[in-house]
Amino acid sequence: MNVVSIASQLIGGMGVSLEIFFLTLLFALPLGLLLSFGRMSRYGIVRTLAKIYISIMRGTPLMLQLMVVYFGPYYLFGVRIQSSYRFTAVIIGFALNYAAYFAEIFRSGIESMPEGQYEAAKVLGYSKGQTFFKIIFPQVIKRILPPVTNEIITLVKDTSLAFVIAVGEMFTSAKAIAAAQTTMMPFVIAGIFYYLMNLLVAILMEQIEKKLDYYR
């Protein structure tokens, strides 16, 4: 089997990997921001719950979390698991996991902002919401881009963990082809795909960072 043939067979799996990647970011980034607010809440119970959640999600393997999300409804509530739920479970598991990491990144960025900016905005008549979204948040985005980029690059590679609950992403396709054809070439091609995806992410994030240079 030649390289072109193997690559064409991996295209379908790559599409699934990209779906997992984009849907995870779509849900994990806003959820992470909400969690960061909970982590900084003035209410102790909210802070504690957010801290416990983040600790659990960061302290246990993503592979285990995917299995809990997928098998949990059956073992806990006796709900029959449909095969169509596999992909949904992957997105839920990835989003819940990455939201915890993004939450800590957002929190560190927000807490690094000088108090004087809040006070100045208050003097100028800005509400708390206006202060955050018009003054603080754009600067926070600039500061947190490097760690966010690292997490996004990790996410590209972590999409391969979807095989745990039999979701046919690119790595799963590569394993199947390698087993059938007794060749390492599918893994090599899959590795190149992952590298190119991460290279594009790095270039895109670098361009965004350059455009935000005026916040220095």
Side-chain angles (χ1 to χ4, degrees), residues 108-172:
S108 64
I110 294 170
E111 291 184 340
S112 70
M113 298 304 297
E115 284 294 327
Q117 296 205 27
Y118 293 94
E119 295 169 1
K122 186 176 181 180
V123 170
L124 292 172
Y126 284 88
S127 67
K128 288 184 178 180
Q130 289 174 324
T131 299
F132 181 77
F133 287 106
K134 290 186 177 182
I135 299 174
I136 302 300
F137 194 60
Q139 298 178 75
V140 169
I141 293 298
K142 165 66 178 175
R143 294 188 179 199
I144 67 174
L145 270 180
V148 165
T149 300
N150 288 337
E151 289 302 323
I152 292 176
I153 287 174
T154 300
L155 172 60
V156 171
K157 295 177 288 185
D158 277 353
T159 57
S160 62
L161 293 176
F163 82 90
V164 173
I165 52 177
V167 171
E169 42 64 62
M170 184 165 57
F171 184 69
T172 304

Side-chain angles (χ1 to χ4, degrees), residues 21 30 36 62 78 83 94 113 121 147 156 162-163 181-182 185 203 205:
F21 173 76
S36 70
L62 174 56
S83 59
F94 270 80
M113 298 304 297
V156 171
F163 82 90
Q181 303 296 326
T182 60
M185 188 55 65
I203 292 172
M205 297 302 284

Side-chain angles (χ1 to χ4, degrees), residues 21-189:
F21 173 76
F22 286 113
L23 288 174
T24 298
L25 290 181
L26 178 65
F27 294 113
L29 285 170
L31 180 56
L33 184 59
L34 287 175
L35 278 171
S36 70
F37 291 153
R39 187 75 170 77
M40 298 180 292
S41 173
R42 57 184 173 179
Y43 301 107
I45 183 65
V46 176
R47 284 199 312 273
T48 301
L49 289 174
K51 188 175 182 179
I52 291 173
Y53 173 84
I54 292 170
S55 177
I56 291 173
M57 300 310 288
R58 295 174 71 193
T60 57
L62 174 56
M63 186 182 297
L64 174 62
Q65 294 167 22
L66 290 172
M67 294 177 70
V68 169
V69 172
Y70 181 65
F71 294 108
Y74 175 77
Y75 287 110
L76 294 176
F77 309 108
V79 177
R80 186 176 179 180
I81 300 173
Q82 302 292 331
S83 59
S84 58
Y85 176 61
R86 293 182 190 277
F87 186 77
T88 302
V90 167
I91 302 304
I92 293 173
F94 270 80
L96 293 178
N97 177 273
Y98 272 84
Y101 289 91
F102 287 136
E104 287 298 274
I105 293 172
F106 280 125
R107 181 181 66 85
S108 64
I110 294 170
E111 291 184 340
S112 70
M113 298 304 297
E115 284 294 327
Q117 296 205 27
Y118 293 94
E119 295 169 1
K122 186 176 181 180
V123 170
L124 292 172
Y126 284 88
S127 67
K128 288 184 178 180
Q130 289 174 324
T131 299
F132 181 77
F133 287 106
K134 290 186 177 182
I135 299 174
I136 302 300
F137 194 60
Q139 298 178 75
V140 169
I141 293 298
K142 165 66 178 175
R143 294 188 179 199
I144 67 174
L145 270 180
V148 165
T149 300
N150 288 337
E151 289 302 323
I152 292 176
I153 287 174
T154 300
L155 172 60
V156 171
K157 295 177 288 185
D158 277 353
T159 57
S160 62
L161 293 176
F163 82 90
V164 173
I165 52 177
V167 171
E169 42 64 62
M170 184 165 57
F171 184 69
T172 304
S173 300
K175 287 198 303 178
I177 298 170
Q181 303 296 326
T182 60
T183 174
M184 288 291 293
M185 188 55 65
F187 293 121
V188 174
I189 297 173

